[in-house]
Amino acid sequence: MSSAPPPFQLVPGAVGSPVLLHVPHSARTVPEHVRHGIVLDDEALEAELDHITDSHTADLAARASEACGVTPWRFVNGLSRLVVDPERFPDDREEMLAAGMGAVYTRTTHRERLRPPGADAEPLLDRYFHPYARAMTAAVDDRLTATGRAVVIDVHSYPATALPYELHGAGPRPPVCLGTDGFHTPPGLLARAEAAFSGFGGTGLNSPFSGTYVPLKHYGTDRRVTALMIEIRRDLYMTEPGGPAGPGLEALVSALATLVDGLMDA
């Protein structure tokens, strides 16, 4: 009997592209066996998915990839971050544990209970988090082997108004927030992103969300892996919370494609 396909997808790009668009929070799917461990009723769960999902970011990354002169690679999560959040540290290093939102969330965006007290996170980490991390590591290694470098671009969105779970929600909420890492985000990468997204009313740095995703194998040790997080304020392109995309999405597709194309010469 064949095994089930993984709940994430690596979409191949051009052999010579070092760019990997990472889309971790775009999906709303919660498998039934995971749903049983969530205490929200169906209406409350749908409302939570509206708030927590980076809606339309998978479409944004896919359309931008099609518009690029050299197609980047894409790694897309097919499950909601309410299953596991692949971008969190799976241990005490994760600051979002303070809000009940480590790798396996126990609280909602409004700090209400999501899972029962004492719920065991290990089965979800073993089934979903660790395989995802291994696959992302392999995808980055593949780009390093093929091109000698890897550029991870995290594609996210965030609400126009801060939600209660945000630890740094009192700071600026620019149209486009660029999350950086002191080791993995070189000035040239940041400058290209600032230029590409300059037409949306301004970019900001590391507020309200900071940092970017790099596999732990490479984190803080391999400068061939560069990375940047792009957090797009949702009122630029969609009806909040969880509503349809609007005309602003097209301009964001063009901006992301411009950034990716520029990275081929970086």
Side-chain angles (χ1 to χ4, degrees):
M1 184 174 64
S2 61
S3 59
F8 47 79
Q9 183 182 20
L10 176 63
V11 182
V15 173
S17 174
V19 180
L20 183 62
L21 297 180
H22 182 214
V23 189
H25 294 159
S26 64
R28 296 174 67 99
T29 300
V30 179
E32 192 61 30
H33 74 96
V34 180
R35 172 70 181 94
H36 291 324
I38 291 175
V39 302
L40 304 179
D41 63 28
D42 289 346
E43 182 179 0
L45 177 57
E46 286 301 307
E48 178 62 12
L49 287 167
D50 286 344
H51 287 296
I52 199 65
T53 304
D54 292 354
S55 299
H56 313 296
T57 52
D59 184 43
L60 168 61
R63 291 173 59 186
S65 296
E66 293 173 357
C68 288
V70 178
T71 305
W73 295 62
R74 281 182 288 133
F75 195 102
V76 184
N77 188 7
L79 296 181
S80 168
R81 61 199 290 192
L82 297 183
V83 181
V84 297
D85 190 331
E87 293 219 312
R88 302 289 199 240
F89 286 111
D91 51 36
D92 291 344
R93 288 174 290 179
E94 180 52 60
E95 72 165 353
M96 289 303 296
L97 284 171
M101 300 180 95
V104 177
Y105 297 175
T106 60
R107 296 281 175 175
T108 70
T109 51
H110 289 75
R111 300 209 175 206
E112 298 169 349
R113 188 168 295 283
L114 181 71
R115 289 185 166 90
D120 185 6
E122 290 304 316
L124 292 176
L125 294 175
D126 289 342
R127 183 165 182 174
Y128 297 113
F129 184 93
H130 298 307
Y132 188 106
R134 288 192 293 268
M136 264 297 290
T137 301
V140 169
D141 281 339
D142 186 65
R143 293 300 84 218
L144 290 173
T145 298
T147 71
R149 61 189 178 112
V151 187
V152 181
I153 304 296
D154 255 349
V155 183
H156 292 263
S157 69
Y158 75 98
T161 301
L163 293 170
Y165 84 95
E166 295 182 27
L167 297 182
H168 309 288
R173 304 182 81 79
V176 179
C177 164
L178 301 175
T180 66
D181 178 86
F183 188 93
H184 291 282
T185 310
L189 173 55
L190 178 58
R192 288 177 183 272
E194 289 173 332
F197 288 93
S198 63
F200 297 94
T203 59
L205 191 63
N206 291 319
S207 177
F209 298 99
S210 63
T212 188
Y213 182 89
V214 176
L216 290 178
K217 174 184 176 181
H218 309 97
Y219 185 68
T221 60
D222 193 340
R223 292 193 183 276
R224 298 176 302 163
V225 180
T226 58
L228 181 79
M229 178 172 68
I230 299 171
E231 288 270 6
I232 301 163
R233 205 176 63 205
R234 291 174 189 159
D235 60 343
L236 288 184
Y237 73 94
M238 64 173 284
T239 301
E240 296 187 78
L249 185 64
E250 193 63 39
L252 290 165
V253 167
S254 178
L256 183 56
T258 296
L259 171 61
V260 172
D261 279 339
L263 294 174
M264 289 303 301
D265 300 324

